[in-house]
Amino acid sequence: MSSPNSTKGLHVITWGCQMNVYDSARMTDVLAPLGYRPVESPDAADMVILNTCHIRDRAAEKVFSELGRLRLVKRERADQGRDTVIAVAGCVAQAEGEEITRRAPYVDIVLGPQTYHRLPEMVARAARAGGKVIETDFPAEQKFDFLPEAITAQAVPGASAAAPGLTAFLTVQEGCDKFCSFCVVPYTRGAESSRPVASVLAEARHLVARGAREITLLGQNVNAYHGTGPDGSDWSLARLAHALAEIDGLWRIRYTTSHPRDMDDDLIAAHRDLPQLMPFLHLPVQSGSDRMLSAMNRGHTADAYRRLVDRLRAARPDLALSSDFIVGHPGETEADFEATLQLVRDIGFAQAFSFKYSPRPGTPAAGAPLRVAESVADQRLQALQALLREQQAAFNADCVGRRAEVLFTGPGRHPGQIAGRTPWLQPIHVEGGESLIGARALVDIRAAATNSVSGALIGGARIAPSQTSEVDCLQPALEDHRA
Ligand code: SAH
Ligand code: SF4
Ligand code: F3S
């Protein structure tokens, strides 16, 4: 193995939610003092980390097929006299633990999401002992108290290589106590816990000083945030958002993912009072049937969700909504599914993610009777996705004629174009010079496609309608990170 001070290659592969994107950057930071620097390919890497997701069956399978490929890389490098440390992090690591090294004995380190601050010590142990290191406990200390300042730019979906730090994620809360019937997160991420206010504000100021203009606060249930404030009192997410809004140079604040049950009056009011809080909210509902919501242990009814959306829209009339849906949960009947379609029609979503139920070992729903046939679940998923696509296109079309402030994040698809995000998280293309990247400007939205819009800078050139269909594929890339 190379000497401790020489530069070593580090290759991190990330699946799952935005929190994994954030964590991957933090693991890179914690390994930097050991000489590890990011490299593009596993062939050039002295260490490969797979940051994994366990949310659905397919997500977990991808990990083992990637491991199969890495085994060959490790063997080839060994033939050339080079070591490769393979580490499996994230939610599959937490859920499977030793099972991973049993199935893939060439894995050196298995580490759960709460142990990343101990990674340097694990690397040293793996090198010394040449054996396996498995750390999947939930330590008493908070990893954020031990991780260094964020230095690695995160691979934030939608952000451009031209301005990597312009939009940033910031984890403020982790874990979940809700125990929805279908979900592994409470088991893989542990109990809900919030970072102290001072630590969040310090990181936000640091990100802004490094060029961030938009910060998305992250948490598995981010609106359950209750961090200890400098005075020792409990701060809500709304109070935290107010404090963040005072940071000079921070133009935009977003947060994800919220639970309907934790949407309190103060947070709703913040959408009215804080111009920095963007008018876009991802608020998963999963189903529109009360019977299913109860079976899923979601703790609210479909009408309670409708009322909540009414209150949010009263506070911020242009609020765009996004959601998550599961079809085919055990016991779901045609009438239940119809109630989901009805809820979608009633609310009108700007975008949404929908999934076929995937049984997860150890969760209550996995052992429930009345499994829905695959073919039925497939049909329901198709019908729901068709409706959601229609709504997304309708929302985009509805934006035509609006004037919106756009944050420009990178070059467009065509020469002379630049790309950015509207307040409603839509990708937007306009004609303009690259000097605008990193800036914000008012744009007239002139045309819409299914996944994006286009427009013209006020007083600027107009985009020909023929170009609008070509920006279609620049759709919000969140899904890329949601397995
Ligand atoms: N904390 C978030 C959800 C995180 S998981 C919340 O409560 O909304 C992201 C999404 O994955 C969930 O909203 C759900 O729609 C989906 N999901 C979770 N477990 C699933 C499973 N077993 N099968 C299919 N989809 C699932
Ligand atoms: Fe999973 Fe439910 Fe917790 Fe969301 S609220 S992370 S779906 S258990
Ligand atoms: Fe874990 Fe996020 Fe996936 S919490 S299971 S990586 S969606």
Side-chain angles (χ1 to χ4, degrees), residues 16-17 20 52-55 91 185 189 220:
C17 58
N20 269 10
T52 63
C53 174
H54 203 240
I55 201 81
C91 292
V185 171
R189 293 276 172 169
Q220 264 92 27

Side-chain angles (χ1 to χ4, degrees), residues 55-56 182 220 284 286 298 324 326 355-356 358 360:
I55 201 81
R56 284 170 290 278
F182 49 83
Q220 264 92 27
Q286 315 297 353
R298 292 291 291 180
D324 288 342
I326 294 180
F355 311 100
K356 191 166 68 167
S358 167
R360 308 311 291 128

Side-chain angles (χ1 to χ4, degrees), residues 418-430:
I418 44 172
R421 282 298 167 100
T422 69
W424 309 286
L425 208 62
Q426 297 144 304
I428 183 166
H429 274 214
V430 307

